[in-house]
Amino acid sequence: ASAISLVPATNNQIATVGTSFGTNLQVLVTDQGGLPLPGVAVRFSGGQGSFANSNPVVTNANGFATAPT
């Protein structure tokens, strides 16, 4: 089973309604051994926020997926 971890530097941000976060949210997807998983589709959603139409995004070679603005 894979695991998804929110990258701490992108967590706990506050933004005014109708504006973007200062830094795009980012997650790291790893396999059960903790190795990064490239090529995994990730969909960002939640709360009352919204994300661009390019959702979902695919993890890069290092297992990171960055939310669209």
Side-chain angles (χ1 to χ4, degrees):
S2 60
I4 298 176
S5 304
L6 188 60
V7 176
T10 68
N11 198 9
N12 297 320
Q13 296 184 71
I14 298 172
T16 303
V17 173
T19 65
S20 299
F21 288 122
T23 303
N24 290 17
L25 297 177
Q26 190 176 57
V27 295
L28 172 62
V29 180
T30 57
D31 65 15
Q32 59 198 59
L35 298 173
L37 287 173
V40 176
V42 175
R43 181 174 297 279
F44 290 87
S45 65
Q48 297 177 8
S50 63
F51 295 91
N53 293 334
S54 58
N55 213 0
V57 295
V58 177
T59 56
N60 65 16
N62 297 314
F64 290 101
T66 303
T69 54

